[in-house]
Amino acid sequence: MTDASTLMQFLFALRSKGVTDARVLTAMEKVDRAAFIRGLFAERAYEDMPLPIPCGQTISQPSVVGLMTQALRAGPRDTVLEVGTGSGYQAAVLSHVARRVYTVDRHKRLVAEARDVFDALGLTNITAFTADGSYGLPDQAPFDRILVTAAAEDPPGPLLAQLKVGGIMVLPVGQSDAVQSLIRVTRHESGFEYDELRPVRFVPLIEGLGRDG
């Protein structure tokens, strides 16, 4: 990672924002955020702030990554679908708390760059696809957990359908030009339970492939 004092400050910042799950903190300690950021912003990798990445996207601030991972409650036997690969940082963190991670993004360039980082870090339990994430991955479904890192007005129906009974989905919902709410959806035999967690701000979930894809 980086020097010990910077790492200590990084973990302290996570705890102060409410990331208290030991498995999540350990995962975030193992994953070097700097590996997912190129250019001018690399030196700010350990600050708790979102940063720009290619294709008009962002890498979420570490505390939000931690809180979303914590809310997902993924176990070591779970298979996770992530919608919105972006830099690949969130998928890398998930790879340390779940058995298998499938991640999709509409931008071919982002998927290719994320794959390169996964390979460099030896993260062999992540599979990345270029696809329209709003439709999930029917061929790999159902999933124990689903994490969406882009905001829809409502949880997309295809993603709800690909969630196992007993499974959990965490995603931001709301209008793209306003503050959104991070929610946790739990699927029961009788239907879906919704819990509102906190206000957040994410890029909108857009159907179709990116222009580079």
Side-chain angles (χ1 to χ4, degrees):
M1 187 114 180
T2 185
D3 66 86
S5 63
T6 302
L7 179 56
M8 289 284 287
Q9 290 172 0
F10 179 74
L11 294 173
F12 178 79
L14 292 175
R15 289 190 191 96
S16 70
K17 296 289 181 67
V19 183
T20 56
D21 184 286
R23 292 181 68 240
V24 175
L25 288 167
T26 298
M28 297 189 72
E29 183 177 355
K30 290 178 178 177
V31 178
D32 186 354
R33 190 173 184 241
F36 298 87
I37 303 170
R38 294 171 175 80
L40 295 172
F41 294 98
E43 63 187 30
R44 307 188 75 173
Y46 306 105
E47 296 179 27
D48 191 37
M49 61 185 300
L51 295 169
I53 60 172
C55 304
Q57 305 300 297
T58 58
I59 178 172
S60 296
Q61 65 194 83
S63 61
V64 171
V65 171
L67 289 167
M68 291 182 75
T69 306
Q70 184 170 274
L72 200 63
R73 299 172 180 168
R77 299 177 65 181
D78 287 340
T79 297
V80 180
L81 169 65
E82 181 201 25
V83 176
T85 309
S87 68
Y89 177 61
Q90 174 72 78
V93 172
L94 289 170
S95 76
H96 288 283
V97 298
R99 181 176 65 84
R100 179 125 209 104
V101 178
Y102 292 96
T103 181
V104 299
D105 201 287
R106 60 192 295 269
H107 293 288
K108 185 177 181 180
R109 174 184 174 182
L110 294 181
V111 171
E113 292 182 357
R115 281 177 180 153
D116 288 343
V117 182
F118 299 151
D119 289 344
L121 296 179
L123 301 176
T124 57
N125 64 335
I126 305 176
T127 306
F129 297 90
T130 303
D132 182 347
S134 60
Y135 292 99
L137 282 177
D139 292 346
Q140 307 298 334
F143 299 98
D144 300 291
R145 300 289 187 269
I146 299 176
L147 185 71
V148 185
T149 60
E153 289 193 28
D154 296 294
L159 299 184
L160 291 172
Q162 290 172 35
L163 190 63
K164 286 183 182 178
V165 173
I168 292 172
M169 176 162 60
V170 173
L171 76 162
V173 294
Q175 298 288 343
S176 60
D177 59 349
V179 175
Q180 305 131 4
S181 291
L182 186 67
I183 66 167
R184 177 168 52 220
V185 183
T186 306
R187 184 169 192 175
H188 302 290
E189 291 279 3
S190 58
F192 296 94
E193 176 187 353
Y194 297 84
D195 295 305
E196 192 169 322
L197 303 177
R198 54 167 286 152
V200 288
R201 187 181 290 274
F202 278 85
V203 296
L205 183 65
I206 299 173
E207 291 190 8
L209 297 181
R211 291 181 181 178
D212 63 342

